[in-house]
Amino acid sequence: MELIRLAHQTDFDGWRTAARTLRSAGVPPERAVWTVGEGQGDLWAGNAPPRPLDGPAPPFNVPRDFIELAQEVVCHRAEDRWSLLYSLLWRLMGEPQLLKIVTDPEVARALELRRNVVKAVHKMHAFVRFRRVAGAAGETYVAWFRPEHLIVEGATPFFARRFAAMRWSILGPDRSAYWDGRRLLFGPGVPRSAAPPPDDLEALWRTYYAHIFNPARMKLAAMRAEMPKQYWGNLPEASLIPDLIAGAGARTEAMVAAPATVPPKRALKVMQAANRDAPHEGGFIASSTEEVAAAIQGCRRCELWRNATQGVAGAGPRDARMMIVGEQPGDVEDLKGEPFVGPAGQLLDRALAEAGVDRTQAYVTNAVKHFKFEPRGKRRLHKTPDTGEIRACRWWLEQETRLVKPNLIVALGGTAASSVFGRTVAITRERGRELPVSGGGRGFVTFHPSYLLRLPDEAAKAAAFQTFVADLRTAGELASALA
Ligand code: URA
């Protein structure tokens, strides 16, 4: 038996070094025992490393997608992760296509661990709540959060980008992260008692949450799935939830019975300005993407606002090189108020990741900002927006384009393409290359992820996905190369 002692819980480099040595010494997976000895850094636990085989080791290139998978899997808390990865690595030598066999029990297990890790990252992004702390060094923000997996290093750069101007710490039992306004630093875990007590920001947040909670749209199962109870301890709004749920029925009836409210005068003015086109008529010219997002809530340029929960503006950095344009928010996006966060968004994320394009560096938006649907029982079925709705909403897309000034606009599917290029675009014929945008700028068109989701045949779906990934890779290169 070979005993390998990794330095810490996510010691991918140690695992890689040991796995290489074991492989070239011909040590099969069942003869390797993996442990983690906090901080000891003694890979072979005081023993001599296994000797390489006599003669040349069999040539073997580790596929890149395995390395990427392994880097995520090591962040899982599962104790079998190290031996699972070594077993996969061992088998890849003789079965180079192994990772494509998703029904293989070991591949399936690794993919499941990766899914759990990715989910834990999303949960951390959604459920960290900072508390304001005033100290000698000025104002800082502190949160305590126990992620489901060992993801602090991977998940916290998101907060550094989103809260770049604040100084903050996220404390947790495994690791803690600290952002000083310039650098993201990591330290050991701390107990929950190290987090500061509730403050006035939390009271403000609770008031806000109680106001935005819409009893008529309450979906208990979705709430439980999206906001599992284990995170409630973190969330200031959690204490409100039982009462809000209990009172939802009565509030819905009251809302239905109440007469329509009249918006305050100032809000009316902004709404009217937002609905006029030309600046010389007093039309609304946004000076930031945040302003666009706020003004979209008052948009009455077509009728779609009537049935949607809210307008969904674009999201992403103001200086993004690439702007990705979809069709319209779907059911999930309509409820969450963010573009591409439902099933099509997950497919888009997967394709972008495979193409090596960082979604957080792109500005992601839609041609139409309100969800168009047809109620069918309890479900809301997507309906394609018509030409008038696309034309009316182009006003917002143009404002976003003017502010972001992307090097490349990537239209996903026909609706987005007709808005971006001002004409009907034949996706199969024109996809995958640079196209001029009317009125200046460079564009690009590829499939919409929902098109891939709808393909009935698995083989066709896999082939189209690879084309989609290749297109996004080309788009990423164009966006970086174009000045
Ligand atoms: N489909 C889109 O086109 N956009 C979204 O935001 C979600 C699904």
Side-chain angles (χ1 to χ4, degrees), residues 3-50:
L3 180 63
I4 306 101
R5 189 156 63 198
L6 300 166
H8 56 83
Q9 290 290 352
T10 52
D11 185 9
F12 174 77
D13 291 339
W15 174 84
R16 180 144 74 169
T17 306
R20 263 197 208 122
T21 310
L22 292 168
R23 186 174 53 76
S24 53
V27 177
E30 59 278 12
R31 295 209 47 242
V33 178
W34 301 83
T35 61
V36 178
E38 285 301 332
Q40 295 185 24
D42 173 13
L43 204 49
W44 302 103
N47 303 313

Side-chain angles (χ1 to χ4, degrees), residues 3 26 30 33 77 97 122 187 190 261 263 271 314 316 326 337 410 433 439:
L3 180 63
E30 59 278 12
V33 178
R77 291 188 193 270
Q97 299 303 316
H122 287 148
V190 293
T261 50
M271 266 162 57
V410 179
R433 60 192 154 88

